[in-house]
């Protein structure tokens, strides 16, 4: 039986690549504009847009209580890039906006002279479910340290490439753009 | 432990010049030769280890004809690595159409020169990572100042090269694609002197383009400071595989994804 995966539509860019990439894993994918459209047991918060505008969009479409409930129910939830960053309390990208505050830490601008970070970087995973490898990154901001960090990489300084807390998983990179390796990471994160 | 303070790898980017839905590669932008189906080539390049793909409709820029969106969608359905599209993008609406069709980034050349504000607009609306500014530069002799061309290399622009490179960055571009026309199609290798000078001083990544014929040319460009290298003919012809070039680079201590 194929699983249904719902993608939260944060209205911040095309979801085409992400949808196609999950479909390649044999799942049915639905884009949900609002929480009442979610039919799947697995949820993905995509990785496009600014921290502040993503939070604003989630709030105006009633996603905040729904995401909170999803987390309390401990259902599989994957956040990608800014979709992972919102798990934390806030970001230097949008100082006025609050994040979900689920994980301790703050999103900060990376120190490397060339911004944004664009390209493939080695990530060393410390969690048995995931193997180390090179996914594709596009970001200028990241979380340096987190108690839930399960993978590290570096761009000017070391930062957290992935987090995991029960069934909550966050990737700072874009697994949907990371070829076969990324496909395997999505599969593990969503327990497909 | 992550020991090194920069894990980012040197990227190799095959370029698909497309005309009427088929990949072509010219010599100095003239004498186009059909090299095959873009989707077929793109998926083959992903398997070979391409880090990204750039998809340019060179005639669209020359003849004011927008690149076919359907080709972009076909590629997005098959690829799971990032890809950039360029050629004939005239407005924010054009950019939006291509990004909505599944492209990760747009490359702006003629339009950026004629209406530089579009760089700011795309960066503000979609983020710097979505906007690659392509610069076609010609410096037939080392003694002359580099000159910028638009319309697929056919029109000389009266704009100082170095100030344009700075302006691109100030306006919020995410990357510069520097095509050295005096090397393109010659097989003499990248212009490492010019590319390295720009790449080492830029605050965004610089992609070297024009002239690659063998693996050593890639090494020379990366050693000079290029962040990524673009090539077409040597890969399209099957003379070199991307993973083969990467093996060579790895052996010479360049950090690549294999």
């Amino acid at each position: 039986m194929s699983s249904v995966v719902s993608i939260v539509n944060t209205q911040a860019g095309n979801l085409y690549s992400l949808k196609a990439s999950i479909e390649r894993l044999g799942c049915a994918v639905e884009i949900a504009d609002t929480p009442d459209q979610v039919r799947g047991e697995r949820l993905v918060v995509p990785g496009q847009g600014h921290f502040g505008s993503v939070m604003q969009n989630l709030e105006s479409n009633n996603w905040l209580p729904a995401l909170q409930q999803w987390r309390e129910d401990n259902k599989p939830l994957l956040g990608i890039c800014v979709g992972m960053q919102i798990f934390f309390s806030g970001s230097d990208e949008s100082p006025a906006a609050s994040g979900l505050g689920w994980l301790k830490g703050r999103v900060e601008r990376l120190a490397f002279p060339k911004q944004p970070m664009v390209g493939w970087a080695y990530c060393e995973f410390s969690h048995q479910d995931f193997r180390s490898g090179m996914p594709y990154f596009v970001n200028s901001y990241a979380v340096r340290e987190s108690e839930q960090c399960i993978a590290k990489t570096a761009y000017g300084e070391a930062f957290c490439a992935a987090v995991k807390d029960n069934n909550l998983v966050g990737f700072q990179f874009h697994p949907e753009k990371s070829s076969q390796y990324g496909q395997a990471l999505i599969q593990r994160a969503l327990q497909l | 432990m992550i020991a090194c303070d920069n894990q980012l790898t040197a990227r190799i980017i095959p370029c698909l010049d497309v005309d009427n839905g088929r990949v072509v590669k010219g010599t100095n932008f003239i004498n186009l030769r059909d090299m095959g189906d873009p989707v077929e080539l793109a998926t083959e390049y992903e398997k070979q280890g391409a880090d990204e793909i750039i998809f340019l409709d060179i005639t669209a820029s020359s003849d004011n004809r927008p690149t076919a969106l359907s080709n972009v969608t076909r590629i997005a359905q098959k690829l799971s690595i990032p890809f950039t599209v360029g050629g004939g993008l005239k407005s924010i609406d054009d950019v939006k159409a291509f990004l909505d069709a599944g492209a990760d980034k747009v490359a702006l050349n003629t339009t950026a020169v004629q209406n530089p504000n579009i760089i700011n607009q795309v960066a503000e609306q979609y983020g710097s990572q979505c906007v690659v500014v392509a610069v076609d530069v010609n410096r037939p002799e080392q003694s002359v100042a580099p000159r910028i061309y638009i319309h697929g290399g056919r029109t000389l622009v009266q704009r100082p090269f170095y100030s344009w490179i700075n302006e691109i960055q100030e306006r919020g571009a995410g990357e510069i694609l520097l095509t050295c026309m005096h090397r393109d199609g010659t097989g003499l290798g990248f212009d490492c002197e010019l590319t390295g000078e720009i790449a080492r001083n830029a605050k965004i990544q610089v992609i070297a383009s024009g002239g690659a014929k063998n693996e050593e040319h890639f090494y020379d460009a990366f050693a000079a400071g290029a962040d990524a290298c673009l090539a077409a003919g040597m890969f399209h012809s099957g003379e070199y595989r991307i993973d083969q070039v990467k093996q060579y680079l790895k052996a010479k201590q360049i950090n690549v994804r294999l």
Side-chain angles (χ1 to χ4, degrees), chain A residues 32-101:
Chain A
D33 296 330
T34 51
D36 56 297
Q37 292 174 1
V38 174
R39 290 201 307 115
E41 287 299 304
R42 290 166 173 81
L43 199 59
V44 180
V45 185
Q48 282 150 323
H50 296 279
F51 188 95
S53 54
V54 167
M55 281 307 296
Q56 197 171 23
N57 188 275
L58 290 175
E59 190 178 3
S60 50
N61 287 301
N62 296 318
W63 279 105
L64 299 186
L67 289 173
Q68 189 62 41
Q69 188 61 48
W70 195 275
R71 170 148 166 86
E72 280 165 24
D73 294 342
N74 196 27
K75 292 198 268 188
L77 172 57
L78 169 63
I80 295 170
C81 198
V82 70
M84 156 187 165
Q85 294 177 354
I86 61 163
F87 297 165
F88 293 86
S89 62
S91 171
D92 287 351
E93 187 181 24
S94 314
S98 290
L100 296 169

Side-chain angles (χ1 to χ4, degrees), chain B residues 48-204:
Chain B
Q48 285 188 16
D51 294 307
E52 293 185 29
I53 293 182
I54 292 185
F55 181 74
L56 294 178
D57 186 341
I58 48 172
T59 58
S61 189
S62 302
D63 309 336
N64 298 325
R65 182 159 50 87
T67 314
L69 289 166
S70 61
N71 274 332
V72 173
T73 300
R74 277 171 67 226
I75 288 184
Q77 281 168 337
K78 290 282 181 188
L79 275 195
S80 52
I81 57 172
F83 72 101
T84 302
V85 299
L89 299 168
K90 301 238 176 312
S91 63
I92 272 284
D93 288 344
D94 285 347
V95 168
K96 187 178 186 328
F98 277 90
L99 294 175
D100 286 348
D104 298 293
K105 314 177 193 182
V106 291
L108 302 173
N109 188 340
T110 302
T111 301
V113 170
Q114 291 176 339
N115 170 25
N117 205 39
I118 195 169
I119 302 170
N120 307 61
Q121 288 178 297
V122 180
E124 277 157 29
Q125 289 189 34
Y126 297 93
S128 289
Q129 78 285 347
C130 283
V131 51
V132 178
V133 174
V135 179
D136 288 346
V137 63
N138 195 5
R139 182 162 69 165
E141 291 163 45
Q142 294 291 343
S143 55
V144 302
R147 293 171 186 159
I148 302 166
Y149 283 75
I150 55 171
H151 293 128
R154 295 198 306 234
T155 309
L156 174 66
V157 180
Q158 300 302 329
R159 184 189 282 267
F161 172 71
Y162 292 99
S163 74
W164 177 232
I165 292 290
N166 287 334
E167 185 177 339
I168 288 166
Q169 299 175 59
E170 294 305 319
R171 288 181 178 276
E175 293 170 84
I176 295 170
L177 168 58
L178 188 66
T179 298
C180 294
M181 296 169 60
H182 48 289
R183 293 298 177 93
D184 201 65
T186 63
L188 292 170
F190 300 103
D191 184 339
C192 295
E193 194 184 326
L194 185 61
T195 307
E197 179 193 351
I198 300 303
R200 289 191 305 273
N201 291 305
K203 56 185 186 184
I204 58 178

